[in-house]
């Protein structure tokens, strides 16, 4: 059994990114998917999130994509925008040193901006079904060179009623392509989809180590609906989570809980499907970066979302769907850490808990409320923690981006700037080679260029007095 990425004959750029991401050896799903994908087989993967499945398709695709082709070669469809953002990031990180452009296409975000981005060179497109269909119908996306199609979280697409849209997208793709479908479960409709649109596919099943992951301590408390909020405060004090997700069943409940909790602990924020996409992205980013500790959310934040170091998941409302329970609690105990899930159960919820316990084949331990003395004893520690900045290491994307500086040049398409003008100027600077140039992005009046290998500062200084395409341009550093 191959246990090292270097045995797969991957390009050195992809291997460098994998190394920076600290992926030392392929996970079981990667060991099965990567060799088959590299051989060009259609694949159906039955696997849970958290198994490294995103990289299992991102690694071979990034490796196989032809940098010189200007049109998109891979299309990845995800059910939610949050997942699209996360999957895009994984592709971007893995394709970092191959200088792959990865575009994201999802609703509630400027159509025109996406349209402009899609007009430029792009290698990989990650999107949600509705917005992809919009682009197809308005002919603002060129899918004629797609060689790879990935349908991620297919069972969730089915739950969300997206299957017809997926079929409509597939009708617009070249027939000669490689298709990969990933799903936690393979119900009949998904099987039919595979039979209709995939050729002689390999089916891979990665046994979930255990549906609910042994590393998660699962507890439940009986509560009265009206006492939930006060009880939550006690539980937060006693458990004192480093980072925590608090799930509610409705947007309204998320809003209400956040309004009530915020005056008490400032280190909380919220996310649900009714918020503007920009706000949703901002909140997820801030949570990822550790700017606050408690995220109050609906199930939009449950599927596949991968944030390091979540110590607790609290089901403020018992989920009414057994699979939602598994997805919610799976946000903790990731990357071989342990974690705890706590579910509040009202009398009305007992029927759901029975179904969940049957599904996970395990008892969720019923706990007694902590007494007042215990809560009071722990209050100081809690107050100290919520007033202390969370200390997290560099994000994965930051590790990959080490030694890369992005520069902004004050000239773009309107002054007929072309990549070759930038490459020409840069390669004429002593100590600079084409291999030190990352992604170049030219828009109307601006050009963004990445300088790799720690040479950013030197190039930034050199460009201050050097003409680009015949004129001195204003060059500044961008925030990454
Ligand atoms: P996923 O199942 O795609 O949501 O991935 C779960 C987590 O595993 C993500 O944080 C990945 O960055 C991480 N990951 C993926 N592949 C590897 C690997 N080979 N070694 C260590 N971590 C990995």
């Amino acid at each position: 059994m191959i246990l090292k990425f270097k045995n797969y004959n991957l390009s050195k750029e992809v291997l460098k990114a994998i190394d920076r991401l600290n992926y030392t050896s392929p996970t079981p799903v990667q060991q099965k998917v990567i060799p088959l994908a590299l051989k060009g087989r259609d694949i159906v993967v039955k696997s849970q999130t958290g198994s490294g499945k995103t990289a299992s398709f991102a690694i071979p695709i990034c490796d196989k994509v032809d940098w010189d082709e200007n049109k998109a070669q891979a299309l990845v469809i995800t059910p939610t925008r949050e997942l699209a953002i996360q999957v895009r990031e994984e592709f971007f990180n893995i394709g970092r040193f191959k200088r792959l452009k990865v575009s994201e296409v999802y609703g509630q975000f400027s159509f025109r901006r996406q349209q402009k981005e899609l007009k430029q060179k792009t290698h990989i497109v990650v999107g949600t079904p509705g917005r992809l269909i919009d682009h197809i119908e308005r002919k603002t996306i060129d899918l004629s060179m797609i060689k790879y199609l990935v349908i991620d979280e297919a069972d969730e697409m089915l739950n969300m009623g997206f299957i017809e849209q997926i079929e409509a997208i597939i009708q617009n793709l070249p027939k000669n392509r490689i298709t990969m479908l990933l799903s936690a479960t393979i119900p009949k409709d998904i099987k039919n989809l595979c039979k209709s649109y995939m050729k002689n596919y390999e089916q891979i099943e990665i046994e979930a180590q255990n549906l609910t992951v042994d590393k998660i301590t699962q507890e439940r408390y009986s509560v009265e609906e009206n006492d939930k909020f006060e009880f939550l405060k006690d539980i937060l004090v006693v458990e004192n989570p480093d980072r925590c997700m608090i799930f509610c069943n409705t947007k309204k409940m998320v809003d209400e809980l956040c309004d009530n909790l915020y005056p008490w602990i400032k280190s909380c924020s919220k996310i649900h499907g009714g918020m503007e996409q920009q706000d949703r992205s901002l909140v997820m980013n801030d949570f990822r970066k550790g700017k606050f500790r408690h995220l109050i959310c609906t199930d939009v934040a449950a599927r596949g979302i991968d944030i390091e170091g979540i110590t607790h998941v609290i089901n403020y409302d018992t989920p009414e769907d057994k699979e939602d329970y598994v997805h919610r609690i799976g946000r903790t105990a990731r990357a071989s850490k342990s974690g705890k899930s706590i579910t509040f159960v009202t009398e009305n919820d007992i029927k759901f808990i029975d179904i969940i316990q049957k599904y996970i084949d395990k008892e969720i331990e019923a706990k007694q409320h902590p007494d007042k003395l215990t809560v009071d004893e722990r209050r100081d520690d809690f107050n100290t923690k919520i007033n202390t900045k969370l200390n997290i290491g560099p994000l994965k994307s930051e590790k990959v981006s080490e030694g890369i500086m992005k520069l902004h040049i004050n000239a773009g398409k309107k002054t007929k700037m072309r990549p070759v003008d930038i490459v020409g100027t840069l390669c004429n600077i002593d100590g600079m080679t084409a291999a030190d140039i990352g992604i170049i992005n030219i828009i109307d009046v601006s050009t963004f260029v990445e300088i790799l290998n720690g040479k950013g500062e030197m190039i930034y200084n050199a460009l201050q007095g050097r003409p680009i395409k015949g004129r001195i341009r204003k060059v500044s550093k961008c925030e990454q």
Side-chain angles (χ1 to χ4, degrees):
M1 183 67 76
I2 293 182
L3 280 172
K4 287 275 172 249
F5 283 107
K6 66 176 183 327
N7 297 109
Y8 292 128
N9 219 358
L10 299 165
S11 68
K12 66 176 188 317
E13 291 85 2
V14 169
L15 283 173
K16 181 173 171 185
I18 291 174
D19 185 50
R20 287 270 187 106
L21 285 164
N22 257 340
Y23 296 174
T24 43
S25 51
T27 63
V29 67
Q30 291 163 2
Q31 289 176 34
K32 294 212 164 151
V33 174
I34 294 174
L36 285 173
L38 287 171
K39 274 191 215 151
R41 295 293 307 269
D42 281 4
I43 313 169
V44 173
V45 184
K46 185 169 172 230
S47 173
Q48 300 281 336
T49 67
S51 55
K53 68 181 175 58
T54 315
S56 77
F57 55 85
I59 289 172
I61 290 177
C62 285
D63 190 72
K64 287 286 180 196
V65 157
D66 174 9
W67 191 88
D68 290 314
E69 171 59 57
N70 287 336
K71 293 180 186 167
Q73 294 160 68
L75 177 68
V76 185
I77 314 175
T78 70
T80 66
R81 300 171 208 148
E82 276 66 31
L83 204 57
I85 293 169
Q86 195 172 290
V87 168
R88 192 209 89 96
E89 188 166 316
E90 187 86 344
F91 267 95
F92 181 73
N93 286 336
I94 292 169
R96 192 67 158 114
F97 299 103
K98 205 174 157 183
R99 296 182 294 131
L100 297 185
K101 277 210 184 165
V102 192
S103 306
E104 53 197 1
V105 166
Y106 45 75
Q108 270 207 23
F109 189 75
S110 162
F111 187 91
R112 273 182 56 78
R113 258 173 68 183
Q114 288 172 357
Q115 180 180 1
K116 277 190 171 172
E117 191 173 327
L118 291 171
K119 256 191 179 167
Q120 296 185 29
K121 183 182 186 84
T122 187
H123 298 102
I124 296 150
V125 176
V126 183
T128 49
R131 185 51 75 91
L132 278 167
I133 297 267
D134 276 358
H135 280 285
I136 291 171
E137 282 175 355
R138 297 202 222 168
K139 299 197 176 8
T140 46
I141 189 168
D142 186 341
L143 298 171
S144 62
M145 293 304 285
I146 294 291
K147 293 198 181 73
Y148 296 90
L149 167 69
V150 180
I151 304 167
D152 196 12
E153 302 273 352
D155 51 346
E156 182 64 357
M157 306 260 203
L158 183 71
N159 292 343
M160 293 170 83
F162 285 154
I163 288 298
E164 277 177 19
Q165 294 183 335
I166 302 287
E167 295 198 73
I169 294 170
I170 296 178
Q171 311 289 355
N172 283 277
L173 299 178
K175 291 226 159 39
N176 192 11
R177 59 158 202 273
I178 292 151
T179 306
M180 294 182 232
L181 179 142
L182 297 99
S183 201
T185 56
I186 314 270
K188 207 170 113 258
D189 288 354
I190 301 284
K191 211 174 240 157
N192 291 342
L193 190 77
C194 300
K195 281 192 190 143
S196 310
Y197 299 103
M198 298 174 75
K199 294 165 291 205
N200 199 8
Y201 59 85
E202 287 270 353
Q203 183 153 341
I204 292 172
E205 186 163 337
I206 301 293
E207 269 312 312
Q209 292 138 341
N210 183 319
L211 250 188
T212 46
V213 198
D214 285 335
K215 296 170 296 182
I216 305 173
T217 308
Q218 298 173 61
E219 297 177 347
R220 65 186 161 107
Y221 289 92
S222 296
V223 288
E224 299 279 335
E225 191 65 50
N226 290 337
D227 299 339
K228 270 185 179 178
F229 179 63
E230 287 307 315
F231 182 59
L232 174 69
K233 284 166 57 179
D234 285 352
I235 282 293
L236 287 176
V237 169
V238 172
E239 293 289 336
N240 201 3
D242 285 346
R243 301 178 101 177
C244 155
M245 291 173 84
I246 305 171
F247 282 96
C248 304
N249 287 354
T250 62
K251 301 171 200 169
K252 189 166 163 276
M253 196 63 238
V254 167
D255 285 336
E256 203 176 301
L257 185 57
C258 192
D259 286 347
N260 291 338
L261 210 53
Y262 189 76
W264 185 61
I265 40 169
K266 298 281 183 283
S267 81
C268 69
S269 190
K270 65 175 177 183
I271 182 166
H272 60 61
M275 289 161 54
E276 292 285 330
Q277 185 55 38
Q278 249 175 333
D279 296 332
R280 282 165 64 169
S281 302
L282 207 68
V283 168
M284 284 314 280
N285 258 339
D286 284 352
F287 191 46
R288 206 164 285 231
K289 288 183 181 159
K291 289 197 179 166
F292 61 91
R293 289 177 187 267
H294 303 82
L295 179 66
I296 305 159
C297 49
T298 55
D299 287 289
V300 289
R303 271 269 173 166
I305 293 302
D306 178 44
I307 293 181
E308 264 175 60
I310 307 267
T311 52
H312 291 72
V313 167
I314 298 179
N315 289 313
Y316 189 78
D317 294 325
T318 300
E320 295 180 5
D321 179 306
K322 57 189 191 311
E323 285 177 21
D324 284 345
Y325 176 82
V326 175
H327 287 293
R328 286 182 184 185
I329 70 164
R331 298 317 98 211
T332 179
R334 295 177 77 78
S336 54
K337 298 219 172 76
S338 56
K340 192 183 253 192
S341 77
I342 294 171
T343 303
F344 292 4
V345 185
T346 64
E347 217 177 316
N348 266 338
D349 298 326
I350 292 174
K351 54 185 179 294
F352 301 124
I353 286 292
D354 289 342
I355 296 170
I356 290 168
Q357 294 191 126
K358 260 198 208 111
Y359 181 60
I360 62 175
D361 196 19
K362 199 170 183 171
E363 280 244 336
I364 305 171
E365 190 188 352
K367 301 275 287 185
Q368 296 297 324
H369 287 215
D371 54 47
K372 193 172 172 314
L373 189 68
T374 312
V375 178
D376 287 341
E377 271 174 4
R378 308 226 177 139
R379 201 174 295 281
D380 281 351
D381 285 349
F382 174 74
N383 286 333
T384 309
K385 194 181 272 182
I386 56 168
N387 291 313
T388 312
K389 205 173 162 288
L390 192 63
N391 192 7
I392 48 168
L395 298 179
K396 266 182 289 179
S397 52
E398 289 167 349
K399 282 189 227 156
V400 178
S401 297
E402 246 170 40
I404 300 179
M405 185 187 283
K406 194 170 180 182
L407 297 178
H408 171 254
I409 301 166
N410 200 11
K413 282 201 177 133
K414 289 210 166 134
T415 37
K416 303 212 165 19
M417 190 66 77
R418 296 161 307 161
V420 62
D421 301 316
I422 305 292
V423 175
T425 308
L426 293 175
C427 287
N428 268 329
I429 298 173
D430 270 354
M432 186 73 183
T433 68
D436 300 320
I437 304 171
I439 295 170
I440 301 174
N441 190 11
I442 304 180
I443 54 176
D444 286 351
V445 289
S446 292
T447 296
F448 297 91
V449 55
E450 289 177 348
I451 310 296
L452 315 184
N453 304 326
K455 296 189 180 171
E457 198 66 40
M458 183 267 282
I459 294 298
Y460 168 72
N461 289 326
L463 287 179
Q464 298 306 318
R466 186 180 286 254
I468 307 171
K469 203 172 160 77
R471 276 179 51 190
I472 305 276
R473 316 279 176 174
K474 187 161 181 267
V475 178
S476 46
K477 296 177 194 171
C478 304
E479 277 216 25
Q480 293 278 359

